[in-house]
């Protein structure tokens, strides 16, 4: 079964389940509760992780903290895996998802997105000694991906002769690459850098970029007040530089200019 079919079935199951739930929280309900539940994958270095003090950290975590502060409510982080981000939203375990979630037509069938607040690149990383420079070079090779992520879809569709090895979260993908279980991983550049830092003897590096995606805050469909507030919040915090400062702090590079300009 292809990754695309798996994703469609997962989204369908979660949507059907959501139909049986009571009315979902809108902006006024969240304010009345004094708390917003935001789903974040805490196994993705740079985006979300647990630091050495056992506290949530990362760019998605800091963005969620800023959003809750600006909304005037407490933040409850709902720890999720990569593949469970949208199902957790649709089953009402979270009010929003801020978890390096790229905006795709397939996902837009199940959830609504904010305007883009950042961008994520899908890249291929491997040891310096391994000579690969294009997706064609993946034929016949084992490639680690995070199940359900954009890299899973790209490699499956564009490198049909690659041996795709799927892991349930990015932490498992990192461990596989850092330990030598696999020599090639399709993931994001910051995580490839994290692999190199974790196992410097492997000399992991970015070999080539597969694709660039816009990131959005996901919410359940038909919540115009919540969507409108989130869009306004993104515009304000891209304009004042706060979201960019968070991105630079964790990624070392600014948010792409087209994302900032597009929110004006």
């Amino acid at each position: 079964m292809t990754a695309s079919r798996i994703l469609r079935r997962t989204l369908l199951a979660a949507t059907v389940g959501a139909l049986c739930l009571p009315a979902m929280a809108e902006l006024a309900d969240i304010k009345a509760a004094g708390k917003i539940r935001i789903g974040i994958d805490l196994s993705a270095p740079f985006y979300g992780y647990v630091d050495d003090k056992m506290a949530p950290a990362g760019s998605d975590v800091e963005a969620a903290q800023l959003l809750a502060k600006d909304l005037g409510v407490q933040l409850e982080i709902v720890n999720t895996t990569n593949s469970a981000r949208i199902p957790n939203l649709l089953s009402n375990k979270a009010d929003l998802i801020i978890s390096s979630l790229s905006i795709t037509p397939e996902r837009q069938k199940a959830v609504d997105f904010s305007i883009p607040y950042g961008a994520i690149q899908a890249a291929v990383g491997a040891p310096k000694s391994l000579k690969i420079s294009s997706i064609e070079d993946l034929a016949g090779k084992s490639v680690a991906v995070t199940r359900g992520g954009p890299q899973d879809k790209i490699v499956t569709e564009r490198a049909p002769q690659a041996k795709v090895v799927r892991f349930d979260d990015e932490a498992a993908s990192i461990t596989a690459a850092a330990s030598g279980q696999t020599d090639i991983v399709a993931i994001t550049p910051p995580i490839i850098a994290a692999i190199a830092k974790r196992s410097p003897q492997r000399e992991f590096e970015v070999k080539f970029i597969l694709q660039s995606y816009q990131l959005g805050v996901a919410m359940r469909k038909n919540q115009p007040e919540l969507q409108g507030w989130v869009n306004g919040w993104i515009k304000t915090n891209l304009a004042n530089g706060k979201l960019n400062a968070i991105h630079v702090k964790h990624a070392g590079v600014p948010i792409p200019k087209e994302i900032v300009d597009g929110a004006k």
Side-chain angles (χ1 to χ4, degrees), residues 34-182:
K35 177 180 70 176
I36 187 164
R37 303 165 301 160
I38 299 181
I40 305 174
D41 182 354
L42 295 178
S43 66
F46 162 54
Y47 301 104
Y49 59 95
V50 177
D51 65 16
D52 55 5
K53 297 180 181 179
M54 302 307 294
S59 62
D60 287 334
V61 171
E62 290 196 24
Q65 290 169 338
L66 178 62
L67 185 148
K69 179 182 178 182
D70 289 347
L71 186 57
V73 297
Q74 295 295 314
L75 169 64
E76 178 183 326
I77 293 177
V78 179
N79 190 9
T80 182
T81 62
N82 188 286
S83 58
R85 290 173 297 181
I86 290 178
N88 279 347
L89 181 63
L90 295 180
S91 61
N92 199 24
K93 293 179 180 178
D95 302 310
L96 298 173
I97 299 294
I98 302 178
S99 187
S100 58
L101 190 63
S102 54
I103 302 170
T104 67
E106 192 162 22
R107 287 171 176 161
Q108 287 175 313
K109 295 175 183 177
V111 300
D112 282 338
F113 281 95
S114 67
I115 61 173
Y117 71 89
I120 186 173
Q121 290 180 315
V124 168
K128 186 176 182 179
S129 59
L130 191 58
K131 304 303 180 184
I132 55 174
S133 59
S134 69
I135 198 162
E136 289 77 19
D137 294 333
L138 302 182
K141 296 180 176 65
S142 295
V143 182
V145 301
T146 302
R147 191 185 308 276
Q151 295 89 348
D152 185 351
K153 180 179 175 64
I154 294 171
V155 175
T156 299
E157 293 181 351
R158 292 170 52 190
Q161 294 181 330
K163 300 173 184 176
V164 180
V165 182
R166 295 180 176 85
F167 294 91
D168 287 333
D169 55 44
E170 291 182 327
S173 298
I174 293 167
T175 298
S179 66
Q181 184 178 344
T182 180

